[in-house]
Amino acid sequence: MANEVEIKFRIADRKALEESLRANQFREKTASTHELNTLYDFPGSKLRGRGELLRIREFGGKWKVTHKAKGKAGKHKSRKETETSIGDGQKLEEIFEALGLKPSFRYEKFRAEWTDGKGDVVLDHTPVGEFGEIEGEPDWIDHVAKLLGISEDQYITSSYAELFQQFVRSSNRKAANMTFAECGTK
C-alpha cells in the first residue's frame, strides 16, 4: 500500500495557475478529461463508519478500483491507498453488488494532471467549483504550494464528498450526488 499525501485548494484563476505551473517546470501529462467516481459501501455505511473508502473510477475510458484507509488529519491529508487498474468497471460493479456493496455516492469532474516528475498537481472542474490538488511528499507539497502562491491557510483536507455536503447546505440544493446534472452546474 502506498501512502497518499495531498492538499486541495480553491482555484481562483485557472489560466494564471496553468501559466504558473509552466513557469515552474511542470508539464501537462493529461489534458482535461471527464472522470466519474462511484463510492461503494455495505448497508449501514460500515466502510464510511470506519473512515474507509471503496471506489470505482472511470477516467478517459480506463477503470481503476481504489481502497483508502482511514486518514490522518493535519496540515496535509494522509492515508494508505491501494489502487489497481481493472478491465471492466461495470463487471466489477456487478461483483460488488453481488457481495452486498451498494453505490453510496457518485461524483464527477473534469481533471487535468500536471507533473514536475516529483509529484502531481491536478486541476479539477467540479459541479461544486474549481479545485486543485497537490499530491506528493509533505515538504514538496508545501514548496509547490508556495511557488503557486497558495498559503497554508488555503489548504483544504476535506474530501469531495465533504465539499459537496457544504455546497448542498449553502446552496439549498436537493442533489444526492456531485454530478453536473444533479447540482445544476456546468
Side-chain angles (χ1 to χ4, degrees):
M1 279 192 278
N3 199 32
E4 174 191 59
V5 182
E6 68 180 17
I7 58 109
K8 286 182 180 67
F9 60 94
R10 289 194 182 274
I11 298 174
D13 183 337
R14 186 169 177 136
K15 287 189 186 278
L17 179 57
E18 289 173 346
E19 288 172 12
S20 183
L21 285 165
R22 282 186 199 91
N24 286 289
Q25 309 306 309
F26 280 80
R27 66 174 177 76
E28 186 178 52
K29 67 180 186 178
T30 307
S32 186
T33 302
H34 184 260
E35 176 181 300
L36 180 62
N37 299 273
T38 304
L39 303 185
Y40 286 83
D41 208 334
F42 293 102
S45 301
K46 290 181 183 178
L47 294 175
R48 183 176 177 196
R50 295 191 311 240
E52 296 179 56
L53 172 149
L54 181 61
R55 174 184 70 207
I56 297 176
R57 169 179 283 171
E58 188 274 324
F59 180 64
K62 295 181 182 174
W63 297 90
K64 287 187 177 183
V65 62
T66 306
H67 173 263
K68 294 186 181 192
K70 184 175 181 170
K72 293 181 211 165
K75 181 168 73 167
H76 308 101
K77 184 175 190 175
S78 176
R79 61 194 196 171
K80 297 288 183 192
E81 177 182 77
T82 306
E83 183 172 75
T84 191
S85 298
I86 53 174
D88 187 334
Q90 292 170 335
K91 292 289 184 196
L92 185 57
E93 288 174 357
E94 290 177 28
I95 292 168
F96 280 3
E97 290 189 21
L99 295 172
L101 290 154
K102 299 286 183 208
S104 60
F105 180 63
R106 285 191 170 83
Y107 62 103
E108 69 178 327
K109 57 193 168 198
F110 287 87
R111 171 169 275 189
E113 300 174 314
W114 293 72
T115 189
D116 68 351
K118 297 176 187 168
D120 293 311
V121 176
V122 300
L123 310 181
D124 290 338
H125 171 68
T126 81
V128 300
E130 298 284 324
F131 294 91
E133 289 183 6
I134 305 173
E135 184 174 342
E137 294 296 322
D139 290 343
W140 181 86
I141 289 172
D142 294 336
H143 173 73
V144 170
K146 190 172 184 178
L147 286 175
L148 299 176
I150 301 157
S151 62
E152 287 185 16
D153 66 335
Q154 294 173 290
Y155 287 15
I156 299 169
T157 56
S158 301
S159 68
Y160 275 121
E162 292 165 329
L163 293 171
F164 168 73
Q165 290 302 322
Q166 292 170 11
F167 169 81
V168 168
R169 281 190 302 274
S170 68
S171 67
N172 288 324
R173 308 247 177 164
K174 301 273 188 242
N177 294 286
M178 195 177 93
T179 63
F180 292 101
E182 286 189 51
C183 291
T185 57
K186 293 182 180 186

